[in-house]
Amino acid sequence: MAKRVTTKEKILNAAEALFAEHGFEQTSLRQITADADVNLASVNYHFGSKKALIQAVMARYLEVLMPALEQELVALQARNKISTRDVFDCFRKPLAQLREVRKHGPTLFLSLLGFAYAEIQGHLRRYTMDHFGHVIEHLLAALHQANPQLSPVDMFWRLHFVLGATVFAQVSGPALREIAAADFGETIAADQMIDRLIPFLAGGVDASAA
């Protein structure tokens, strides 16, 4: 017998699909309630606010991704010598595990992350740091271990350029895949774009200062 979908899950599923396609700012609670076939009172009862709903949508992914990423980073930091590529490769398995959340979990999560960054959802940053700040600290420590020559301010700028490139690759992914197929005969799935992206990101962080 199929598991009954609760009202809360209906709201989360509808919100996730709309957020991933249109972004957080362009998605209204009215759209979410219409797609979920619930009333606004149900959203207020289960989540209280749109910000809390956004956080709950992201939490489904972060609660799977972050513990797995922490495990990868801790194991990596135990090595004497590591590279930036090693650090970014730590994301591969945790991202793949997001398929446990949804069939296209990695792609959906990166789309949500892109909108969160592009739309400056400050409350999500605070939520992430409050709940998973220790994992971010491991990530920064590993990157500094791999790049001791970079100052904190240099690392700040390069990590934000990394985020910018990741957001662009995700938002423009469908168009880029179509061009790659039409011009170069390369067929690549959305989830495989990470294989193209990671070497580029690592190279950017490693680049010598001008």
Side-chain angles (χ1 to χ4, degrees), residues 149-150 154 158 161 203-210:
Q149 78 284 1
L150 293 181
D154 283 337
R158 294 187 186 202
F161 294 149
V205 173
D206 287 341
S208 300

Side-chain angles (χ1 to χ4, degrees), residues 13-27:
N13 292 342
E16 176 189 283
L18 288 166
F19 290 153
E21 183 176 358
H22 303 292
F24 303 110
E25 293 180 355
Q26 297 301 314
T27 299

Side-chain angles (χ1 to χ4, degrees), residues 142-177:
L143 285 168
H144 281 295
Q145 184 178 340
N147 297 275
Q149 78 284 1
L150 293 181
S151 68
V153 70
D154 283 337
M155 186 63 75
F156 165 82
W157 283 111
R158 294 187 186 202
L159 282 181
H160 279 79
F161 294 149
V162 162
L163 283 171
T166 302
V167 169
F168 171 80
Q170 183 58 41
V171 171
S172 304
L176 292 172
R177 293 197 304 275

Side-chain angles (χ1 to χ4, degrees), residues 14-183:
E16 176 189 283
L18 288 166
F19 290 153
E21 183 176 358
H22 303 292
F24 303 110
E25 293 180 355
Q26 297 301 314
T27 299
S28 68
L29 288 178
R30 185 181 298 275
Q31 288 174 292
I32 293 169
T33 56
D35 279 23
D37 193 23
V38 301
N39 56 40
L40 185 58
S42 295
V43 177
N44 291 328
Y45 173 76
H46 287 289
F47 302 100
S49 68
K50 184 179 178 181
K51 286 184 178 179
L53 175 56
I54 291 171
Q55 291 169 10
V57 167
M58 293 299 289
R60 294 206 290 189
Y61 291 97
L62 292 172
E63 288 170 0
V64 173
L65 177 82
M66 287 302 201
L69 177 59
E70 181 179 23
Q71 187 175 1
E72 295 286 329
L73 289 169
V74 168
L76 179 66
Q77 287 176 273
R79 289 162 45 181
N80 291 327
K81 188 175 179 59
I82 64 175
S83 68
T84 305
R85 176 69 179 270
D86 293 332
V87 178
F88 287 134
D89 278 340
C90 285
F91 282 86
R92 291 181 183 275
K93 289 182 181 178
L95 280 171
Q97 284 182 236
L98 297 184
R99 294 188 183 94
E100 299 171 6
V101 181
R102 306 288 272 183
K103 181 179 179 181
H104 300 294
T107 301
L108 285 168
F109 173 72
L110 289 174
S111 181
L112 293 167
L113 185 66
F115 281 118
Y117 182 73
E119 296 176 1
I120 317 177
Q121 296 287 322
H123 67 97
L124 268 182
R125 183 181 185 279
R126 291 189 294 274
Y127 172 85
T128 302
M129 293 306 296
D130 286 346
H131 291 80
F132 305 105
H134 59 290
V135 183
I136 304 300
E137 289 174 3
H138 277 300
L139 174 61
L140 292 174
L143 285 168
H144 281 295
Q145 184 178 340
N147 297 275
Q149 78 284 1
L150 293 181
S151 68
V153 70
D154 283 337
M155 186 63 75
F156 165 82
W157 283 111
R158 294 187 186 202
L159 282 181
H160 279 79
F161 294 149
V162 162
L163 283 171
T166 302
V167 169
F168 171 80
Q170 183 58 41
V171 171
S172 304
L176 292 172
R177 293 197 304 275
E178 285 182 13
I179 294 170
D183 293 0

